[in-house]
Amino acid sequence: MNIVVAMKQIPDLQQIRIRNRKPVLDGVPSALGVIDKNALEAAVLLKEKQGGKVIVLSAGNEEVEETVKEALAAGADEAFLVLDDDLEGADGSTKAMVLAEAINKIEDVGLILFGEGSGDNYSGQVGSRVAELLGMPQAAYASSIEINDSSAVITRSLEDGDEILEVSLPVVVSVLGDINEPRIPSVTQILKAGRKPKEVLELEDLEINLTGLPEIMTVSNLAPETDRKQVKVASVEELLQALRTEGVI
Amino acid sequence: MNFNFTKEQSLLQAMARDFAEKRLEPIARQIDEENKIPDQIFAEMGELELFGIPIAEEYGGADGGYDGYVLVMEQIARVSGGVAMTLAAHTLGLGAIQKFGTEEQKQKYLPDACKGKTIASFAFTEPATGSDPKQLTSTAVKESDTYVLNGTKRFISNANQPGPCVVFARESESGEVTAFIVDKWCEGYSISEPWAKVGMKGGVLVDIYMENIKVPAENLLGKLGQGFPILLYGIALGKVGTATAALGGTLAALDEAVKYVKEKTHRGAPIAKFQAIQLKIADLKIKYETARWLCYRLGWLANDIKDPAAFAAEAALAKAFCGDNVVEAARIAMNAHGSYGLMKDYNIERILRDALIGPEIEGVADMQKMIVAGSVLKG
């Protein structure tokens, strides 16, 4: 059984500067989504227990071919890439169609992992859309995954409790950022990442029609402005009292 | 001319920074105070293959070149001067064995050392040599198929750890300086207590006492009388590590100063708003960037040394500059901290002590300048 990990190329968040309330992306190198790396680590841990291959799946512009080396260094065995400049900035719906069609071309897929949300937009919808398109069950917000023969036991950490599900394979799972601590790759894992097998397709190689889809353009995506309360305290006692008043402690 | 990193180089740098921040930073002060690197850290560095970055894969190394080595060394030195010093001395020893060792010597010593199971040393300095190799007094007397070594070696890094030690001694028949690979902790090998040095603690310096150490003849490194070329080549390669360790200290000084001046307020505003502070930050950035490109270039040059004398001059230049540079940078950063910088509560106190090591080890700064001047004035 193979495990597919969908990973998104995003700008390296640590190198983005904000100017006029907008991110400046010029010259910012690309990286893979932070929680996507947790999904990859979960896949590698499962593979180490039960075998199979971990295949990293990514769709985007040509730069993805370089960016994906990060995943290959961190334990993925192969990469399956759909590269097309039209995919740069594509919305979740389009990306889901592309990923679902790509997954149809990969053999013996038992588990498809996503991060709970991408590192840039964090809409968290592509995993669900892919599950729908493939007609597969889906479990989101997973804090643990175990594989038993033909099913997966998944713990979902929800706001008011944990839910444990047993789901038949294949299944789409999105993982939480605290499911694990991604390992640090060794020097040779990094240096040999580029030599691992890669299958590269273009959009026209997939049997999907992206014309006529409704286009969604994000006009603005800002967090609401919040004012600090500017409470000044003169002593620890006053600080404690202020925190109590705010209901923090 | 392309100054961009490859993806692999970016990942290597990011990996080293990740390791340094997650694993070394939380214990950097402990390493400094105890003058000891925990065994667990050696094990983790071995797993990540940090002990054999420029060593060929066939000998257990990562084949990442000296350019890869400087990217890692910089990030480690940024967080712990002691770990950087240990790694630099180890890689120096391995570099000499890789270059001059026989196939048997390389197969015997390099694989375990690349895994961090053994830690290498390079022992030239003696109480009376200073930076003058001609004053070497340790002796090697041939007795059938062994050499018997006697003498004292001073300020030897990692000599407390088991592993190979490249030792220089005067072969008695020829009178020529010759290099040998000695297994540390063999019979006749003993060491002093660690020197209580000012900085880069955790990088342990001891004296080695050699009393009738019997070294098999097959452990002669290079050829009889080839000691000086091996010494010069090895020391030049070693300066890739020491220059870059100084670079990491310069980056640490810059980072600590930037962090402090953004946090520290005066009359309600961060002191970073003051021009006098901004000038210090600019000086630190200039010092970091100039040292950085010297070290990266030196790493690249070390990958393929065609003219050892020319490389030795390049290495001396980088080491002379980076050694003095890190001290100046750490002083500026401490100055930006004001009185707080003198306190152990702030990292800059340790960074300045670590920086002081830079100009003095592996040939003092003046010695490096003499090598540079010699290369400029020759002919």
Side-chain angles (χ1 to χ4, degrees):
Chain A
M1 182 193 88
N2 296 320
I3 304 172
V4 170
V5 185
M7 301 184 80
K8 184 180 181 185
Q9 174 179 269
I10 62 170
D12 186 339
L13 300 180
Q14 292 184 329
Q15 299 194 41
I16 293 178
R17 287 168 178 257
I18 305 295
R19 195 174 297 152
N20 298 327
R21 304 200 74 205
K22 285 187 177 166
V24 180
L25 301 179
D26 289 344
V28 175
S30 297
L32 293 170
V34 180
I35 310 175
D36 298 357
K37 293 177 194 171
N38 296 103
L40 176 62
E41 177 66 20
V44 176
L45 288 169
L46 287 168
K47 183 199 89 167
E48 286 171 351
K49 263 192 198 166
Q50 60 186 37
K53 283 188 294 193
V54 173
I55 300 164
V56 56
L57 168 64
S58 193
N61 61 18
E62 287 186 356
E63 209 183 327
V64 171
E65 202 164 352
E66 280 292 294
T67 307
V68 80
K69 286 178 180 172
E70 189 177 355
L72 294 167
D77 299 295
E78 295 176 14
F80 196 101
L81 309 177
V82 183
L83 304 183
D84 198 303
D85 286 344
D86 287 346
L87 288 170
E88 194 171 345
D91 63 21
S93 164
T94 306
K95 278 283 183 73
M97 289 173 70
V98 171
L99 295 180
E101 192 55 34
I103 290 165
N104 277 331
K105 292 185 177 295
I106 301 173
E107 286 181 358
D108 193 21
V109 177
L111 184 63
I112 301 157
L113 295 182
F114 284 79
E116 63 172 291
S118 61
D120 49 1
N121 291 329
Y122 196 74
S123 64
Q125 56 173 281
V126 176
S128 304
R129 285 178 179 273
V130 166
E132 174 67 20
L133 288 166
L134 294 174
M136 289 183 189
Q138 188 220 357
Y141 307 112
S143 58
S144 82
I145 306 167
E146 284 175 40
I147 303 289
N148 301 322
D149 298 329
S150 60
S151 66
V153 176
I154 295 153
T155 304
R156 302 177 66 215
S157 281
L158 305 173
E159 282 179 7
D160 45 6
D162 286 354
E163 181 181 60
I164 299 174
L165 302 174
E166 184 167 2
V167 193
S168 60
L169 300 178
V171 59
V172 177
V173 179
S174 67
V175 307
L176 292 170
D178 57 5
I179 188 173
N180 53 40
E181 172 81 17
R183 71 194 64 190
I184 301 174
S186 73
V187 178
T188 50
Q189 281 176 312
I190 290 170
L191 297 177
K192 291 182 175 176
R195 297 184 218 165
K196 287 188 174 177
K198 254 185 303 191
E199 184 155 352
V200 180
L201 300 184
E202 295 175 9
L203 266 183
E204 62 188 30
D205 298 323
L206 300 176
E207 285 119 32
I208 50 173
N209 183 4
L210 296 176
T211 56
L213 288 174
E215 282 188 18
I216 299 174
M217 191 170 74
T218 304
V219 179
S220 173
N221 186 9
L222 295 173
E225 284 191 53
T226 53
D227 284 329
R228 292 180 185 277
K229 293 201 171 177
Q230 307 276 349
V231 177
K232 291 191 177 176
V233 294
S235 66
V236 173
E237 286 73 25
E238 278 186 41
L239 172 64
L240 290 171
Q241 186 54 47
L243 291 172
R244 281 190 201 101
T245 307
E246 294 296 322
V248 181
I249 57 172
Chain B
M1 200 175 293
N2 183 352
F3 290 95
N4 292 320
F5 286 173
T6 63
K7 185 68 184 173
E8 284 80 357
Q9 287 168 332
S10 297
L11 290 173
L12 202 54
Q13 186 185 50
M15 176 273 268
R17 193 173 180 102
D18 201 22
F19 169 73
E21 289 183 345
K22 284 183 182 155
R23 306 296 298 128
L24 299 181
E25 200 162 343
I27 58 166
R29 186 178 298 184
Q30 176 197 323
I31 291 172
D32 179 63
E33 287 172 353
E34 297 177 1
N35 193 25
K36 183 175 178 4
I37 300 165
D39 293 343
Q40 177 64 21
I41 294 296
F42 280 104
E44 289 177 29
M45 289 175 69
E47 279 172 26
L48 295 178
E49 300 166 306
L50 302 183
F51 284 117
I53 297 171
I55 305 302
E57 211 174 334
E58 59 193 297
Y59 304 118
D63 226 350
Y66 280 90
D67 52 345
Y69 169 62
V70 296
L71 293 176
V72 170
M73 172 62 79
E74 177 188 4
Q75 296 305 323
I76 287 178
R78 173 179 167 269
V79 171
S80 172
V83 176
M85 183 174 169
T86 302
L87 182 59
H90 169 83
T91 311
L92 155 61
L94 296 196
I97 294 173
Q98 173 163 259
K99 171 70 180 172
F100 296 100
T102 61
E103 183 63 24
E104 290 72 24
Q105 288 170 344
K106 289 191 254 192
Q107 292 292 356
K108 181 178 177 186
Y109 289 107
L110 295 179
D112 279 352
C114 288
K115 291 188 187 82
K117 289 182 179 172
T118 60
I119 301 294
S121 298
F122 191 85
F124 162 72
T125 305
E126 296 180 358
T129 55
S131 295
D132 181 1
K134 294 193 174 140
Q135 302 304 313
L136 196 85
T137 59
S138 290
T139 56
V141 177
K142 183 122 195 244
E143 282 183 9
S144 65
D145 56 352
T146 62
Y147 286 92
V148 181
L149 268 57
N150 280 285
T152 299
K153 294 292 177 185
R154 175 139 294 173
F155 303 146
I156 307 304
S157 291
N158 305 335
N160 57 329
Q161 301 266 6
C165 180
V166 177
V167 170
F168 294 85
R170 203 172 286 281
E171 200 272 327
S172 58
E173 266 182 40
S174 62
E176 300 284 350
V177 174
T178 302
F180 301 89
I181 304 174
V182 172
D183 286 289
K184 289 180 277 187
W185 298 108
C186 62
E187 197 176 335
Y189 180 98
S190 62
I191 58 171
S192 68
E193 286 291 311
W195 283 88
K197 62 188 185 329
V198 65
M200 289 196 166
K201 293 183 182 179
V204 174
L205 282 187
V206 296
D207 289 354
I208 298 174
Y209 308 117
M210 299 185 291
E211 288 181 64
N212 297 320
I213 291 181
K214 286 188 177 169
V215 181
E218 65 261 26
N219 273 28
L220 193 147
L221 183 63
K223 293 181 186 144
L224 190 73
Q226 203 188 3
F228 281 134
I230 294 174
L231 174 67
L232 295 177
Y233 189 96
I235 290 277
L237 268 187
K239 287 171 197 166
V240 179
T242 46
T244 310
L247 168 70
T250 309
L251 177 58
L254 170 64
D255 286 351
E256 286 297 318
V258 168
K259 188 172 108 192
Y260 184 80
V261 303
K262 283 182 171 177
E263 286 173 3
K264 170 74 174 170
T265 57
H266 182 72
R267 297 188 182 181
I271 63 171
K273 297 276 184 197
F274 302 140
Q275 282 185 328
I277 294 294
Q278 290 172 4
L279 296 180
K280 293 185 202 306
I281 298 300
D283 283 341
L284 284 167
K285 177 69 172 167
I286 291 165
K287 285 185 179 302
Y288 170 62
E289 290 296 333
T290 42
R292 188 156 85 105
W293 296 107
L294 272 178
C295 287
Y296 292 178
R297 180 170 173 278
L298 187 65
W300 174 74
L301 286 171
N303 282 343
D304 185 18
I305 300 172
K306 293 191 171 68
D307 178 349
F311 177 74
E314 296 276 2
L317 187 154
K319 199 265 171 186
F321 178 81
C322 295
D324 287 342
N325 192 59
V326 68
V327 178
E328 292 162 13
R331 281 294 306 272
I332 293 169
M334 176 172 269
N335 198 233
H337 282 69
S339 304
Y340 289 98
L342 301 169
M343 308 304 157
K344 282 189 180 286
D345 305 72
Y346 291 83
N347 287 337
I348 193 60
E349 178 269 344
R350 174 167 48 83
I351 291 165
L352 177 56
R353 285 191 289 105
D354 286 353
L356 293 171
I357 301 288
E360 314 303 337
I361 51 166
E362 279 188 31
V364 296
D366 287 349
M367 196 73 195
Q368 307 311 314
K369 289 173 187 170
M370 286 171 61
I371 297 170
V372 175
S375 75
V376 174
L377 298 172
K378 71 177 179 187

